[in-house]
Amino acid sequence: MSESTVLVLGSDPPPTLDRLTGRARVIFTDEAGLAGRLPTADVLLAWDFTSEAIREAWPERGPKPRWVHTASAGVDQLLCPALIADDTVVTNARGVFEQPIAEYVAGLVIAMAKDFYGSWELQRQRRWRHRETLRLAGTRAVVVGSGPIGRAIGTTLLALGVKVDLVGRRARPDDPHFGLVHASDALNGLLPHADWVICAAPLTDATRGLFGKEAFGLMPPRARFVNVGRGPLVVEPDLIAALREWRIAAAALDVFEQEPLPADSPLWDVPHLIVSPHMSGDTLGWRDALAQQFQDNFDRWAAGEPLANVVDKRLGYVPVQ
Amino acid sequence: MSESTVLVLGSDPPPTLDRLTGRARVIFTDEAGLAGRLPTADVLLAWDFTSEAIREAWPERGPKPRWVHTASAGVDQLLCPALIADDTVVTNARGVFEQPIAEYVAGLVIAMAKDFYGSWELQRQRRWRHRETLRLAGTRAVVVGSGPIGRAIGTTLLALGVKVDLVGRRARPDDPHFGLVHASDALNGLLPHADWVICAAPLTDATRGLFGKEAFGLMPPRARFVNVGRGPLVVEPDLIAALREWRIAAAALDVFEQEPLPADSPLWDVPHLIVSPHMSGDTLGWRDALAQQFQDNFDRWAAGEPLANVVDKRLGYVPVQ
């Protein structure tokens, strides 16, 4: 086959694509140059996976990439009606982030159970104050999102002795790891029994604003909420109100409606709210892992084989087999 | 049998011993009254398990309790030559603290791997600064202490994908859970390969000062150290030096040479040192669990059955079967 053109959106820092040398013409672009270059590209690598420029720049007609790969698990930031309608295949970074995010969530859950934040504040004050904290084993978590990330979180919490209810789009009565996977319409019935509510869902029209006043109102006062999915899954003012009014015990957000979170955001100092800068999945070497994963898929592309991690563009994620 | 006398050292708060009603005469004492009352008691419950008064008050000769139970895992604070030489049986609180401590250690390890402390400091400053952190799976932990607490820590870390080397007093080549348990003389060979060094050993003559200049010098610069055993297992000035000179990356202490840690201790603000007030095993309901456990053992005592959790007084802990 003739040499392919791979267009890379973003270069800060650039990916290492050494395995494409001599096999593809690699062109880098920023957001401003994207629309002009898309018609010349066979493949688009969304290396800057936070950019929403693809939605604006995607050509309605004419030549365009036949394959888009994003260096992220979520695809909400690039899917647009024209791309969904096209034959273009979209693939994602499934496999890179699951284990790190599961570790991160487990750590947050333990840190909240054991009041690490209280201990650290007391350490700053040089005060010795013994407290009794929660035993994690035997508590109950609702994990929303039955894709690879939600499943990895669930598996890790199970290993810590937590009872896990996994919630997906559709019910699965005979899941090999979790037994029953609950359908999304079962969520409201599960929330009142939750010690932990973990959001690891993809952002779609069906999940936007999923955690708002109603959901927080259904959680018991002991509930602690964690979002590692996407910011707009949460109605941020409703979460702030729930925490300020002690309707839930604590929360941790790694993702936000607006990222980076502005310095004047009220979220920085809500009582019992832990804020981190969208880093739950980003472990040392993650960029190399993402570049290797894209090149592995390029090998399949060049050989005419089916690509890995193909997104169901209408669902907005890679369906679990 | 005639009614037994159970002497309880400590009453802040007192244990609930309702199952002893009508079966034993329960007498409370403080440290000052201990020596005078020991000759009248059949059983001593060291409810204030931090007290070292038993070592001073234990009678060389004459009537004395035939059974001492301590509401703690460690027994270093009460063993003295006269008690070791006596026929008196010593039992401990094995079974109550293992799972909570394992959860606590797993949380500390993840918090250090993911730099939760850095994120919290940045949150206070309202600063969004993304960092890449450690993937826990695949790292290597050395857990010192092959009793129930060390084993629970090891099992929990294994479940998180960490490779675990468990170190006990003697080697066990065919441990059912860990394969090889290393002998204490293997420790120095393991430390250079450790990402995590967890101290959960009993305090005995053989382990006092185990973690000092030599041990910290053998750890690699990436190593992070956690002590949930007893304070004197660590030579605190040597740990401070190792952290200040960046010879190891971080540490967390839940136990100290002097407890409560005085407000003017230098340990409160050593860089990369996390301090917590001896609470790793103390989850809500722990005092009730300790009182129930003592009463379960009293049932055995009253029935003339062998007691559970009998300490090998010469080793200084309950040997794992």
Side-chain angles (χ1 to χ4, degrees):
Chain A
M1 84 193 260
S2 65
E3 193 177 58
S4 303
T5 296
V6 174
L7 181 63
V8 180
L9 173 62
S11 59
D12 180 26
T16 303
L17 299 175
D18 50 302
R19 287 161 53 196
L20 269 53
T21 305
R23 302 165 69 201
R25 203 160 62 100
V26 177
I27 298 173
F28 285 85
T29 185
D30 57 12
E31 291 185 344
L34 182 66
R37 293 196 173 93
L38 273 177
T40 70
D42 301 295
V43 179
L44 172 65
L45 168 58
W47 183 247
D48 174 4
F49 53 82
T50 68
S51 173
E52 300 186 354
I54 296 165
R55 285 211 295 242
E56 299 299 317
W58 192 256
E60 289 281 343
R61 57 189 64 79
K64 58 185 78 170
R66 287 164 292 150
W67 171 31
V68 176
H69 178 86
T70 179
S72 59
V75 294
D76 52 280
Q77 71 285 359
L78 58 85
L79 287 183
C80 57
L83 175 52
I84 292 171
D86 278 343
D87 291 338
T88 297
V89 176
V90 174
T91 58
N92 77 353
R94 177 175 167 173
V96 172
F97 297 107
E98 287 82 340
Q99 180 61 29
I101 292 178
E103 294 172 355
Y104 199 92
V105 169
L108 284 174
V109 163
I110 301 176
M112 291 194 278
K114 307 300 181 183
D115 193 25
F116 285 177
Y117 296 91
S119 291
W120 202 45
E121 182 59 38
L122 288 163
Q123 181 178 350
R124 294 171 68 99
Q125 302 171 12
R126 294 175 161 262
R127 287 174 62 201
W128 179 278
R129 192 153 66 80
H130 179 277
R131 291 100 65 213
E132 296 174 4
T133 61
L134 284 183
R135 188 181 177 117
L136 195 60
T139 61
R140 182 171 286 276
V142 173
V143 178
V144 180
S146 63
I149 294 174
R151 300 179 72 86
I153 293 167
T155 302
T156 303
L157 293 178
L158 280 176
L160 291 166
V162 178
K163 297 170 199 153
V164 174
D165 288 307
L166 197 65
V167 179
R169 195 172 59 94
R170 285 181 312 188
R172 288 170 172 248
D174 51 1
D175 184 87
H177 287 96
F178 294 91
L180 172 67
V181 175
H182 302 271
S184 53
D185 60 10
L187 178 61
N188 284 355
L190 294 168
L191 291 178
H193 310 290
D195 297 289
W196 314 98
V197 180
I198 315 296
C199 175
L203 179 61
T204 67
D205 289 343
T207 61
R208 186 177 299 273
L210 182 63
F211 290 98
K213 188 172 180 179
E214 184 189 4
F216 294 123
L218 287 167
M219 297 178 197
R222 68 176 185 276
R224 292 168 168 87
F225 173 75
V226 176
N227 187 15
V228 290
R230 282 285 186 266
L233 291 157
V234 173
V235 184
E236 292 174 350
D238 292 353
L239 174 60
I240 293 174
L243 287 167
R244 289 204 184 279
E245 294 160 19
W246 294 78
R247 280 186 276 119
I248 64 172
L253 300 180
D254 189 54
V255 289
F256 302 87
E257 183 86 42
Q258 187 182 351
E259 296 180 11
L261 192 65
D264 63 356
S265 167
L267 289 165
W268 288 111
D269 58 2
V270 178
H272 307 292
L273 176 60
I274 301 162
V275 166
S276 58
H278 200 153
M279 59 187 275
S280 71
D282 304 344
T283 45
L284 290 164
W286 69 300
R287 292 183 193 278
D288 279 344
L290 289 169
Q292 292 300 331
Q293 182 182 53
F294 170 71
Q295 292 176 103
D296 289 345
N297 237 354
F298 185 86
D299 290 345
R300 297 187 187 96
W301 167 264
E305 296 169 3
L307 293 174
N309 294 359
V310 174
V311 172
D312 182 321
K313 292 187 286 183
R314 296 195 184 275
L315 290 177
Y317 52 87
V318 180
V320 173
Q321 300 309 318
Chain B
M1 84 194 263
S2 65
E3 194 176 58
S4 304
T5 297
V6 174
L7 181 64
V8 180
L9 172 61
S11 58
D12 180 25
T16 304
L17 299 176
D18 50 303
R19 287 162 53 196
L20 269 53
T21 305
R23 303 167 67 201
R25 204 161 61 100
V26 177
I27 299 173
F28 287 85
T29 183
D30 56 13
E31 291 185 343
L34 183 65
R37 294 198 172 92
L38 273 177
T40 69
D42 301 295
V43 179
L44 172 64
L45 168 59
W47 184 247
D48 174 4
F49 53 83
T50 67
S51 172
E52 300 185 354
I54 297 165
R55 284 210 296 243
E56 299 300 317
W58 193 257
E60 290 281 343
R61 57 189 63 81
K64 57 185 80 171
R66 287 163 291 151
W67 170 33
V68 176
H69 178 86
T70 179
S72 59
V75 294
D76 52 280
Q77 71 285 0
L78 59 86
L79 288 183
C80 57
L83 175 52
I84 291 171
D86 276 342
D87 291 337
T88 298
V89 176
V90 175
T91 59
N92 77 352
R94 176 175 169 174
V96 173
F97 297 107
E98 288 82 342
Q99 180 61 28
I101 293 178
E103 295 172 356
Y104 199 93
V105 169
L108 284 174
V109 164
I110 302 177
M112 291 195 276
K114 308 298 182 184
D115 194 24
F116 285 177
Y117 296 91
S119 291
W120 201 45
E121 183 59 39
L122 288 162
Q123 179 178 351
R124 292 170 70 97
Q125 302 170 11
R126 296 176 159 260
R127 289 172 62 200
W128 179 278
R129 192 152 66 79
H130 178 276
R131 291 100 65 213
E132 297 173 4
T133 60
L134 283 183
R135 188 182 178 115
L136 196 60
T139 60
R140 183 172 284 276
V142 174
V143 178
V144 180
S146 63
I149 294 175
R151 301 178 72 86
I153 293 168
T155 302
T156 303
L157 293 177
L158 280 176
L160 291 166
V162 177
K163 297 170 198 153
V164 174
D165 288 307
L166 196 66
V167 180
R169 196 173 60 95
R170 286 181 311 186
R172 289 170 171 246
D174 50 2
D175 184 85
H177 288 97
F178 295 91
L180 173 67
V181 174
H182 303 271
S184 54
D185 60 10
L187 178 61
N188 284 355
L190 293 168
L191 291 178
H193 310 290
D195 298 289
W196 314 98
V197 179
I198 315 295
C199 174
L203 178 62
T204 67
D205 288 343
T207 61
R208 187 177 299 272
L210 182 63
F211 289 98
K213 188 171 180 179
E214 184 188 6
F216 295 123
L218 287 167
M219 297 179 198
R222 69 176 185 278
R224 291 168 169 87
F225 173 75
V226 175
N227 187 15
V228 289
R230 281 285 186 267
L233 292 157
V234 172
V235 183
E236 291 174 350
D238 292 352
L239 175 61
I240 293 174
L243 287 167
R244 290 205 183 278
E245 295 161 17
W246 295 77
R247 282 185 275 120
I248 65 171
L253 300 181
D254 189 53
V255 288
F256 302 87
E257 182 85 43
Q258 187 181 351
E259 297 181 9
L261 192 64
D264 63 356
S265 167
L267 288 166
W268 288 110
D269 59 1
V270 178
H272 308 292
L273 176 62
I274 301 161
V275 166
S276 58
H278 201 150
M279 59 188 274
S280 71
D282 303 344
T283 47
L284 291 165
W286 69 299
R287 291 183 194 277
D288 279 344
L290 289 169
Q292 291 301 330
Q293 182 181 53
F294 169 71
Q295 291 176 103
D296 289 345
N297 236 356
F298 185 87
D299 289 345
R300 297 187 188 94
W301 168 263
E305 296 169 3
L307 294 174
N309 295 356
V310 174
V311 171
D312 182 320
K313 293 187 287 183
R314 297 198 183 274
L315 290 176
Y317 52 86
V318 180
V320 174
Q321 300 311 317

